Amino acid sequence: MTTFDNHRVTPWILLAPQLLVVAVFFFWPAFQALQQAFYVEDPFGLGRSFVWFDNFTRVLASPEYHRALGVTVAVGVGVAVGAMALALLLAVLADRVIRGARVYRSLLIWPYAVAPAVAGVLWMFLFDPGLGIVSHLLAGVGVRWDHHLHGDQALALVIIASIWKQMSYNFVFFLAGLQAIPRSLLEAAAIDAAGPWRRFWSITFPLLSPTTFFLLVMNSVYAFFETFGTIDATTAGGPGGATRTLVYKVYEDGVIGYDLGSSAAQSVILMLLVGLLTLIQFRYVERRVQY
Amino acid sequence: MATLKLTALEKTYPNGHRALHGIDLEIDDGEMVVVVGPSGCGKSTLLRCLAGLETISSGELAIAGQRVNELEPAARDIAMVFQNYALYPHMSVADNMGYALKNRGVPKPERRRRVAETASLLGLEALLERKPGQLSGGQRQRVAMGRAIVREPRVFLFDEPLSNLDAALRVQMRLEIRRLQKRLGITSVYVTHDQVEAMTLADRLVIMNGGRIEQVGTPLELYARPRTRFVAGFIGSPAMNFLEARVKDGEIIVGDGSVLAPAADIQGSIAVGIRPEHLRVVDAGEADLTARVEMLEPLGADTLAYCRVSGLSLPLVIRLDGGAALAEGQTLAVKLPLSRLHLFDLDSGERLPWHSPETSIV
Ligand SMILES: Nc1ncnc2c1ncn2[C@@H]1O[C@H](COP(=O)(O)OP(=O)(O)OP(=O)(O)O)[C@@H](O)[C@H]1O
Ligand SMILES: [Mg+2]
């Protein structure tokens, strides 16, 4: 018992593993990146010089960076809207299923368990210009699919693969949200002469708004950062930078191009962006829809 | 405003549970019918079938003489007040009340006028901009009523609308519902398991048990001539006393041998019912039974005495004047006025035809 009497030390001991993980895998690299962002390093890593904000101004002025920002926004909006709309549709349908509901739901949740890279490869094969089933079918309706050549098709592929991956996550939340809506509200609305369509938009959808907003934030973060694996496996940022998102550019410039200063500066900008998104989320969570 | 006619209405749930076993009932225009019965007897199921929230398995439901089995809830032109009120939490009180009008394409100025009218009828003017979450239970109840009234439907349905309120508020709202219903003259079906509420609100009472109607009648009819032992025990508070008895040589014999009354055309074992308020404490000479007081429940105006009678398994409840000097352990000489007796078959629970030697008061 005596060991537990020292209440000032115990909490720290209990927290230590977590703190250690956070320190080693987050604070230390973040600090490194922040420091790196103010230096220019020679390609052999022999020496570096302090350049103030040069890296930042260079990055922010670069047209390639602007393009990557545009791609990121396109992927973000495409994935968030697509994954949420599809998940909501499936959740509404699943909510009505009575027989075999559990099997149906489990199947819909599976894609979430697939690693991003695997998902990427899966979709790459489906859309492969020579072998893919989907591209074959598309050829049948006169669409020449080759995401190795066409930037917009590559972008579409990345978005589709990411949507497929993220949909399960959204589905779980939407289904839980739908099941939390009291049946009697929808019955009252039915008696109040609202048809199914009107019921959905005037009762169900507003009551789901906390879930929807939460998912919007989560999906944006996902689309910004976690699409990396999918992009790397399907298009590797190409063709010609058509699917090069901000995160992918950090990787390309740093790991492949070995421009550590620029890469670090981009990481710092990304961190600020995440911070901003998180802030919006917290502000929102604090003052949820009032009802 | 409309009549309601139920013919052999049955409901079997998808899981095979048969909740309604052939309900026959006719409700007049403007009448308030209260459906009462124990939990699980199918009251809500009946109401939901009327509303169109559950499909009717067989039989016919007609509103104003027209079959509506296949109509959607919206097309039946009914309004329903739910037990949990089912107010739309994201809409203001005014929007809650105007929702049905809006869905029916009533233009905005008229909608506004009708909501304002209903709000003043219910004293809700000051609350129109609030959300349901910002209202007390009683106010929510009122809004739920308002939402039903504002539409001027042909039929009102109420599913235990007062069960979430405290006792005082329940009495107040009960009076208010009665007043509104009379004033608007809208045909209403009101479900409750509170028999006091049922007695006070009903033009006619429907007693349900196990998915069947036991008896239909005015509250006083049911009180005076319950058709079954179930109805007799259900209507009236405290509940009717039942005494095991047997008929031998044309006489009713109760408990350990007291002869109660002649009964010419009855045989075998029966249950004798008598209400606590009809038992009389008399001088030892006139008594039918002697009862030992086991517990007293003073209610102010009345006192309930729970007594033990030798030869009877159930305690006998007697309602006495609140001023009577009584003590636990005391013995009472009790008389059972013959005109107040109800006889029931012990097995079927059916009322037995019997004309008491004394003239019936009812
Ligand atoms: N959706 C359903 N599926 C299967 N059985 C049901 C369903 N709803 C109700 N029941 C059953 O039907 C019977 C009647 O239920 P109902 O809700 O009508 O009772 P009630 O009289 O309203 O009771 P209470 O006073 O407790 O509200 C019950 O035995 C109940 O278990
Ligand atoms: Mg019920």
Side-chain angles (χ1 to χ4, degrees):
Chain A
M1 279 285 110
T2 46
T3 37
F4 285 97
D5 287 344
N6 198 336
H7 290 302
R8 267 181 301 176
V9 177
T10 316
W12 289 106
I13 295 174
L14 293 174
L15 278 175
Q18 177 83 43
L19 288 177
L20 201 70
V21 168
V22 173
V24 171
F25 292 101
F26 179 72
F27 284 114
W28 189 57
F31 177 74
Q32 287 274 304
L34 191 62
Q35 195 188 29
Q36 190 75 261
F38 292 94
Y39 285 90
V40 168
E41 196 156 344
D42 75 84
F44 302 103
L46 296 174
R48 58 185 197 173
S49 43
F50 188 74
V51 294
W52 288 105
F53 289 96
D54 270 10
N55 285 327
F56 289 96
T57 46
R58 199 154 47 89
V59 162
L60 291 174
S62 127
E64 276 192 25
Y65 194 74
H66 297 161
R67 173 132 186 255
L69 185 66
V71 170
T72 308
V73 170
V75 170
V77 173
V79 171
V81 171
M84 286 172 62
L86 273 173
L88 183 56
L89 181 69
L90 288 173
V92 168
L93 296 177
D95 194 32
R96 297 182 170 197
V97 174
I98 297 163
R99 226 175 293 248
R102 204 174 300 174
V103 175
Y104 184 65
R105 284 169 203 166
S106 314
L107 287 179
L108 275 169
I109 291 163
W110 270 0
Y112 196 60
V114 176
V118 176
V121 171
L122 205 83
W123 285 95
M124 194 176 70
F125 274 122
L126 285 174
F127 279 92
D128 187 90
L131 307 166
I133 295 170
V134 180
S135 47
H136 183 70
L137 292 176
L138 283 173
V141 294
V143 178
R144 290 177 53 81
W145 184 274
D146 190 348
H147 57 263
H148 301 305
L149 295 178
H150 306 295
D152 47 353
Q153 291 186 354
L155 193 62
L157 176 60
V158 165
I159 291 176
I160 290 171
S162 305
I163 286 177
W164 180 76
K165 188 83 189 64
Q166 182 65 8
M167 218 170 55
S168 313
Y169 180 85
N170 298 349
F171 171 78
V172 172
F173 278 89
F174 273 133
L175 188 63
L178 284 174
Q179 292 185 337
I181 296 176
R183 290 213 68 76
S184 60
L185 287 186
L186 297 170
E187 290 173 352
I191 290 176
D192 278 349
W197 187 253
R198 168 86 52 100
R199 275 203 299 274
F200 179 80
W201 289 111
S202 64
I203 310 286
T204 310
F205 193 70
L207 292 180
L208 274 181
S209 64
T211 308
T212 309
F213 199 91
F214 165 78
L215 286 178
L216 190 65
V217 173
M218 294 309 286
N219 280 252
S220 317
V221 171
Y222 164 82
F224 277 19
F225 301 101
E226 283 168 45
T227 46
F228 176 85
T230 312
I231 293 174
D232 198 41
T234 47
T235 63
T243 56
R244 189 192 290 132
T245 58
L246 290 176
V247 172
Y248 203 80
K249 192 164 154 46
V250 169
Y251 164 78
E252 266 191 7
D253 290 354
V255 177
I256 298 172
Y258 217 70
D259 185 354
L260 291 185
S262 163
S263 177
Q266 292 176 37
S267 311
V268 172
I269 296 171
L270 268 175
M271 272 193 277
L272 292 177
L273 219 79
V274 186
L276 196 72
L277 272 176
T278 316
L279 196 76
I280 293 172
Q281 184 188 354
F282 272 128
R283 274 190 66 98
Y284 179 75
V285 168
E286 269 172 28
R287 44 171 199 87
R288 270 229 179 96
V289 179
Q290 297 282 322
Y291 62 72
Chain B
M1 269 145 268
T3 59
L4 219 59
K5 186 168 181 200
L6 292 68
T7 317
L9 203 74
E10 302 224 357
K11 171 67 188 175
T12 306
Y13 278 110
N15 67 358
H17 181 83
R18 203 152 159 233
L20 297 177
H21 303 253
I23 301 286
D24 290 293
L25 186 64
E26 278 192 53
I27 301 174
D28 282 343
D29 192 8
E31 194 181 19
M32 176 97 160
V33 165
V34 176
V35 179
V36 61
S39 188
C41 71
K43 306 181 295 287
S44 298
T45 304
L46 177 63
L47 214 58
R48 293 169 59 81
C49 285
L50 299 185
L53 298 174
E54 300 286 351
T55 53
I56 293 168
S57 307
S58 71
E60 193 186 71
L61 170 65
I63 299 179
Q66 180 204 0
R67 178 184 165 99
V68 298
N69 287 40
E70 287 77 24
L71 290 189
E72 289 291 311
R76 295 186 187 191
D77 196 12
I78 38 133
M80 183 155 169
V81 179
F82 290 78
Q83 177 173 356
N84 63 3
Y85 314 140
L87 298 176
Y88 312 123
H90 56 296
M91 295 185 197
S92 68
V93 168
D95 289 345
N96 260 285
M97 286 167 61
Y99 185 68
L101 299 178
K102 191 171 163 186
N103 291 336
R104 287 190 156 80
V106 176
K108 198 164 179 184
E110 187 188 342
R111 216 155 72 206
R112 212 185 270 259
R113 182 180 58 73
R114 277 167 68 176
V115 168
E117 258 175 37
T118 309
S120 73
L121 189 68
L122 289 163
L124 289 170
E125 299 99 322
L127 306 176
L128 282 177
E129 294 315 312
R130 292 214 203 155
K131 297 267 172 74
Q134 301 161 323
L135 301 176
S136 72
Q139 289 166 337
R140 270 178 231 180
Q141 214 288 324
R142 239 174 256 263
V143 175
M145 290 282 301
R147 190 172 66 178
I149 290 172
V150 75
R151 280 188 29 208
E152 296 167 14
R154 292 194 295 180
V155 179
F156 273 148
L157 303 175
F158 299 87
D159 193 355
E160 309 205 19
L162 305 182
S163 58
N164 288 344
L165 302 180
D166 66 54
L169 205 52
R170 200 149 42 188
V171 173
Q172 185 195 334
M173 286 308 296
R174 192 168 82 202
L175 293 170
E176 201 155 326
I177 288 178
R178 185 67 179 144
R179 180 177 65 80
L180 281 169
Q181 197 272 335
K182 279 257 182 288
R183 173 159 163 193
L184 302 170
I186 293 178
T187 313
S188 303
V189 181
Y190 187 109
V191 160
T192 178
H193 59 235
D194 177 338
Q195 59 104 1
V196 178
E197 207 169 289
M199 298 282 282
T200 50
L201 280 173
D203 289 324
R204 267 193 314 154
L205 263 178
V206 174
I207 314 283
M208 277 184 73
N209 187 22
R212 290 191 173 80
I213 291 183
E214 288 266 334
Q215 193 172 0
V216 181
T218 65
L220 291 180
E221 268 167 31
L222 296 198
Y223 178 83
R225 284 189 67 78
R227 204 179 56 73
T228 63
R229 180 171 169 171
F230 176 83
V231 175
F234 202 81
I235 293 297
S237 168
M240 184 183 280
N241 294 296
F242 294 104
L243 291 65
E244 306 101 336
R246 57 190 189 280
V247 180
K248 211 175 138 200
D249 304 330
E251 286 184 314
I252 303 173
I253 299 167
V254 181
D256 53 2
S258 333
V259 174
L260 211 58
D265 42 3
I266 301 173
Q267 294 299 322
S269 297
I270 60 167
V272 174
I274 178 124
R275 297 192 183 278
E277 54 271 38
H278 294 153
L279 287 166
R280 293 216 325 265
V281 176
V282 290
D283 296 332
E286 313 170 46
D288 295 314
L289 297 169
T290 45
R292 205 170 141 271
V293 179
E294 291 206 316
M295 202 181 71
L296 290 169
E297 243 180 33
L299 301 175
D302 307 308
T303 296
L304 300 182
Y306 292 80
C307 306
R308 179 67 54 193
V309 176
S310 68
L312 293 181
S313 56
L314 293 172
L316 190 70
V317 184
I318 310 174
R319 184 180 211 146
L320 296 161
D321 189 80
L326 288 166
E328 286 171 14
Q330 181 183 350
T331 42
L332 299 174
V334 180
K335 182 160 180 61
L336 287 67
L338 294 187
S339 65
R340 300 294 200 174
L341 296 185
H342 307 264
L343 305 191
F344 299 100
D345 187 278
L346 208 54
D347 300 320
S348 70
E350 295 283 325
R351 184 186 188 87
L352 295 171
W354 178 67
H355 296 287
S356 79
E358 293 178 17
T359 47
S360 176
I361 290 174
V362 209

